[in-house]
Amino acid sequence: MKQTRIHLNDVIYNAGAQAFEALVTVDDGAKTRRYACAIKAPISLSFEDATAGLKTQAVRQHRKGTGLYSQMRRNAPSLRAGRARFDPRVWLAQLGFMPNSDAA
C-alpha cells in the first residue's frame, strides 16, 4: 500500500461564506496535486475537526480525479545542447581588437 502525504497551507475561516478554507497538497508518490478545499461549518468547530474535513475532501478529489487542481511536475534538469561556452577574449581576437592579433 502506498503512503499518501497530505499538507495543509493557510487554513482560514471565511466569515462571508461561513466555511473553513485551505490549499491542500496531496502527494501519493506518483503525482503531487494541490486542491482548493472548503467545508461549510460554524466558527465554533474545532481546528482538528476542520482540518480533518479538509483533508478528507482533498483525498476524495484526488482519488476520483475530479475537481479543480494544480499539478507540480518533478523537475529534472536537462543538459544544455552542444553549444560551446562564449569566450570574449577569443571573440575580440577574431575581430582584431586584441593586442598581438594577426588581423588587419
Side-chain angles (χ1 to χ4, degrees), residues 12-101:
I12 62 166
Y13 185 75
N14 184 343
Q18 294 184 350
F20 284 92
E21 300 174 348
L23 184 63
V24 184
T25 305
V26 180
D27 181 8
D28 63 3
K31 56 188 171 189
T32 302
R33 292 183 175 170
R34 289 184 176 170
Y35 299 92
C37 297
I39 56 167
K40 290 198 177 277
I43 197 167
S44 60
L45 182 70
S46 71
F47 183 76
E48 290 79 19
D49 292 339
T51 57
L54 292 166
K55 287 179 182 180
T56 302
Q57 185 181 38
V59 169
R60 187 178 303 130
Q61 289 180 7
H62 189 75
R63 287 189 182 141
K64 288 183 179 179
T66 61
L68 191 61
Y69 63 86
S70 68
Q71 184 172 349
M72 293 154 291
R73 299 196 176 161
R74 309 256 189 255
N75 186 14
S78 60
L79 297 174
R80 292 188 66 181
R83 194 168 99 178
R85 234 179 60 141
F86 176 73
D87 186 3
R89 289 186 221 177
V90 172
W91 179 68
L92 288 172
Q94 289 173 351
L95 293 176
F97 290 111
M98 293 293 287
N100 299 331
S101 67

